[in-house]
Amino acid sequence: TEGHPFIGKRLARGIKGRFGHVESLVNARVVGWLPAEESDYQDEHGNKAALWHIVRDDGDEEDLEEHEVQAGMRLLIRR
């Protein structure tokens, strides 16, 4: 839960409805991360990728790639 500047940062995530469209937004906080060197997750190009663990304000949790965390931070600013 330490070692990266994203830890503790807030972001927004879209909540998709049953047809795959974003119907609402929920705020979240980055609470942990797993560096690429320690991760077995692979990105869309097959490369090892870091993951950031978030806890949403509605209690749900997700693991996100860096680009998803950055997009969520931008989304929060625009709200």
Side-chain angles (χ1 to χ4, degrees), residues 28-73:
R29 181 177 306 279
V30 179
V31 297
W33 82 299
L34 184 63
E37 306 82 51
E38 299 176 26
S39 175
D40 60 0
Y41 179 78
Q42 294 182 348
D43 67 13
E44 63 187 33
H45 305 291
N47 300 314
K48 290 184 96 171
L51 292 173
W52 283 262
H53 190 74
I54 66 163
V55 176
R56 298 180 348 191
D57 289 356
D58 64 5
D60 284 348
E61 300 183 27
E62 294 182 79
D63 292 321
L64 305 179
E65 293 180 63
E66 183 173 16
H67 69 92
E68 294 171 305
V69 174
Q70 291 172 332
M73 290 177 182

Side-chain angles (χ1 to χ4, degrees), residues 14-39:
I15 305 296
K16 293 182 180 179
R18 64 182 187 169
F19 298 111
H21 300 291
V22 173
E23 293 185 349
S24 64
L25 295 174
V26 64
N27 290 339
R29 181 177 306 279
V30 179
V31 297
W33 82 299
L34 184 63
E37 306 82 51
E38 299 176 26
S39 175

